[in-house]
Amino acid sequence: QVQVVESGGGLVQPGGSLRLSCSASGSFLSINAMGWYRQAPGNQRDLVARITSENRTLYADSAKGRFTISRDIAKNMVYLQMNSLKPEDTAAYYCNVDTTGLDTIIRLTWGQGTQVTVSS
């Protein structure tokens, strides 16, 4: 079983910065990829950024140039540095972890989410 926990959300003014953190724990052979998604009320959950075990990154167009995803392999953690935040970045941010289990089954596990509110 895999546990995923996010932290770092909060209220920030437009133009400000926040850093989200996500940790994965439990029993698994490997982490294949970790990603951040966000969901605003009434909207679907969309990809923000993703990073693979080979350090390949993928960003949503809205995140390019403002957000940076990184990971600490030794700590099983992923971070999302968000700069130049805009009101439209307001959403619940979810961490998703792609793991290969001890039974070799690939699982996708979601965290509980952390709220980011960008407002003056």
Side-chain angles (χ1 to χ4, degrees), residues 6 12 14 16 35 43 46 60 65 73 75 77 80:
E6 306 101 331
V12 63
N43 292 351
D46 293 324
I73 295 175
K75 295 181 179 179
M77 295 194 68
L80 186 68

Side-chain angles (χ1 to χ4, degrees), residues 18-22 31-38 46-60 63-73 77-83 93-98:
L18 277 177
R19 187 192 194 212
L20 306 183
S21 300
C22 168
I31 294 177
N32 306 312
M34 303 179 82
W36 288 97
Y37 293 72
R38 68 186 183 187
D46 293 324
L47 173 71
V48 177
R50 188 172 182 267
I51 186 167
T52 71
S53 57
E54 295 84 23
N55 263 343
R56 295 174 183 167
T57 58
L58 176 67
Y59 291 93
K64 290 178 181 176
R66 299 187 300 127
F67 296 180
T68 302
I69 190 170
S70 61
R71 61 183 291 184
D72 184 328
I73 295 175
M77 295 194 68
V78 66
Y79 307 97
L80 186 68
Q81 178 66 43
M82 304 187 293
N83 299 327
Y93 283 70
Y94 296 89
C95 180
N96 178 272
V97 180
D98 178 337

